[in-house]
Amino acid sequence: DKGNHRHFMEKEIHEQPEVIAHTLAHYLDFAGGGVKSFDTPIDFAKIDRLAVSACGTAYLAGLIGKYWFERYARLPVDIDIASEFRYREMPLTKASAALFVSQSGETADTLASLRYCRKEGVPIATIVNVRDSTMARESDGIFPTLAGPEIGVASTKAFTCQLSIFAALAVRAGLERGTLSPEEASSHIRALSEAPRYAAQALKLEERIEKVGRELSQVRHVLYLGRDTNYPLAMEGALKLKELSYIHAEGYAAGELKHGPIALIDEQMPVIVIAPCDRIFEKTVSNMQEVAARGGRIILITDEEGAVRASLDSFETIVMPTVPELIAPIVYALPVQMLAYHTAVAMGTDVDQPRNLAKSVTVE
Ligand code: F6R
């Protein structure tokens, strides 16, 4: 049931404040500022390496999770696309654990990767939305996303719930490994507790984003840029645009621009930059200046301070609420999803059922 929404995707985008809150409450004790004692087959204090693998949007959630585990828990993370992992014969040591990410819990390549890790004899956990799925059954334990059924083929609310769990797990791992003090952990947990409220604020930008989406529906190519955790989010933005609107889009690390893709820039190719005003904002601004100098059209997704500090001659902005750094990719996921959605609606494509795609990819 779509309720009063035009598409399941629109409904699922709008459910995010609620399902993020629901998911986080399963893992974090907001009142006490600590982590709840949930079951985990992975002993974060004992392992020295975590292998994460998944496909598509779930893989991109894992890529953001890597930044968090490494930054807050000092735990090295290997992250792979499952179709590569399953054949790459990665050696897993006794002190490793494997973590999979899947909305459906049925994706063939991710399941095959899980079975490879089973043979290697390491503990296996899965961040999964469908609790009675094959991957849930074959894991030693699961971290459920409480997103509810996701019907739209393009993953939206499952993604932000996956991110919420990665953040919660990174905080738990940081505490258990002694790399975060209880005070630092509490401050991250406070930040996470605000994610649903900021997500709700981001939804209010819909009219503005709809207008940008109408403009994007006129172009053939788009470049998406970001740094740090917003780099995988740029790839997610590009993936969403491709699958929904069939516009050719690429997500790049902003710092990689001058190593090749800058050659593509001209008046015809908009560059969408995801850049909250954080400690590396100025670096991204200088990448934007390189784009502007070549006549590129910039659409900057930032906060109020970022919009002021970017100070370029001509660029469009989508101005987000100012959010704590940890939760930026969770909150900024919403405008990125809405932009793909509204571009696709403006083009008249089948948003809930894009051509050539299936919700659950159970063949290789
Ligand atoms: C993109 C999308 C896909 C899935 C991928 C993995 O919007 O939905 O890229 O994320 O097929 O699916 P699950 O998470 O079910 O393993």
Side-chain angles (χ1 to χ4, degrees):
D1 178 18
K2 290 180 223 170
N4 49 10
H5 294 281
R6 277 174 295 178
H7 301 99
F8 280 109
M9 185 181 176
E10 185 183 54
K11 172 172 177 260
E12 289 161 5
I13 287 174
H14 284 261
E15 281 171 354
Q16 288 178 106
E18 193 187 326
V19 296
I20 292 168
H22 202 46
T23 299
L24 283 169
H26 190 79
Y27 298 91
L28 301 174
D29 168 16
F30 290 135
V35 175
K36 282 189 177 167
S37 62
F38 51 87
D39 283 342
T40 161
I42 298 176
D43 186 340
F44 291 108
K46 295 240 168 71
I47 57 171
D48 61 17
R49 215 164 161 186
L50 182 65
V52 177
S53 73
C55 299
T57 291
Y59 162 75
L60 296 170
L63 207 45
I64 293 173
K66 172 185 168 81
Y67 282 81
W68 286 333
F69 268 114
E70 294 187 344
R71 179 165 298 149
Y72 302 117
R74 311 300 299 157
L75 176 63
V77 173
D78 294 297
I79 165 93
D80 277 90
I81 293 165
S83 57
E84 288 299 316
F85 182 89
R86 64 180 293 188
Y87 295 117
R88 133 171 130 87
E89 300 171 49
M90 178 195 179
L92 288 153
T93 60
K94 282 279 158 284
S96 307
L99 177 60
F100 299 92
V101 193
S102 179
Q103 189 285 128
S104 63
E106 303 294 345
T107 302
D109 285 319
T110 316
L111 179 59
S113 301
L114 186 155
R115 288 175 177 160
Y116 172 85
C117 290
R118 174 66 67 210
K119 279 206 204 113
E120 291 283 297
V122 298
I124 293 167
T126 302
I127 297 175
V128 68
N129 198 42
V130 180
R131 279 182 178 217
D132 58 354
S133 56
T134 311
M135 291 184 61
R137 261 195 318 277
E138 295 195 17
S139 301
D140 296 318
I142 62 169
F143 301 119
T145 44
L146 306 181
E150 192 179 63
I151 311 292
V153 163
S155 185
T156 52
K157 60 177 181 170
F159 175 67
T160 46
C161 288
Q162 288 159 358
L163 290 181
S164 301
I165 293 179
F166 268 111
L169 291 179
V171 171
R172 175 178 179 151
L175 276 169
E176 291 177 354
R177 295 167 68 81
T179 54
L180 285 181
S181 67
E183 294 72 34
E184 287 167 327
S186 293
S187 117
H188 290 312
I189 290 168
R190 246 191 332 274
L192 281 164
S193 75
E194 293 183 296
R197 180 168 67 82
Y198 286 124
Q201 283 183 31
L203 289 174
K204 299 210 173 99
L205 297 170
E206 186 138 25
E207 238 172 83
R208 168 89 190 97
I209 291 173
E210 190 172 355
K211 184 176 157 282
V212 179
R214 273 197 302 272
E215 292 168 24
L216 281 188
S217 69
Q218 307 297 317
V219 306
R220 297 287 306 138
H221 307 275
V222 168
L223 196 59
Y224 241 113
L225 300 179
R227 275 179 187 267
D228 202 83
T229 51
N230 295 306
Y231 158 46
L233 190 59
M235 291 199 268
E236 168 64 3
L239 177 60
K240 282 284 167 295
L241 264 181
K242 276 185 267 216
E243 65 181 332
L244 294 172
S245 67
Y246 318 141
I247 291 173
H248 168 226
E250 289 202 57
Y252 254 95
E256 223 9 51
L257 185 69
K258 58 167 80 61
H259 301 285
I262 198 163
L264 295 169
I265 307 271
D266 62 16
E267 296 78 15
Q268 313 303 320
M269 182 152 121
V271 180
I272 308 174
V273 184
I274 307 171
C277 193
D278 55 15
R279 67 204 147 77
I280 43 175
F281 180 71
E282 298 302 332
K283 307 274 175 204
T284 309
V285 170
S286 68
N287 301 130
M288 285 173 20
Q289 282 159 347
E290 291 157 10
V291 172
R294 285 155 187 86
R297 210 173 103 212
I298 295 165
I299 300 164
L300 173 63
I301 311 179
T302 185
D303 46 33
E304 264 171 44
E305 188 166 357
V308 173
R309 297 236 310 248
S311 66
L312 294 170
D313 289 343
S314 78
F315 63 102
E316 285 188 72
T317 50
I318 293 172
V319 182
M320 295 281 290
T322 302
V323 302
E325 183 173 322
L326 172 65
I327 63 169
I330 302 176
V331 181
Y332 278 64
L334 276 74
V336 161
Q337 296 163 348
M338 289 192 283
L339 197 49
Y341 173 79
H342 284 292
T343 305
V345 168
M347 293 181 85
T349 57
D350 188 346
V351 175
D352 280 335
Q353 188 52 260
R355 67 184 184 202
N356 310 338
L357 291 175
K359 181 67 184 158
S360 173
V361 185
T362 53
V363 291
E364 226 183 291

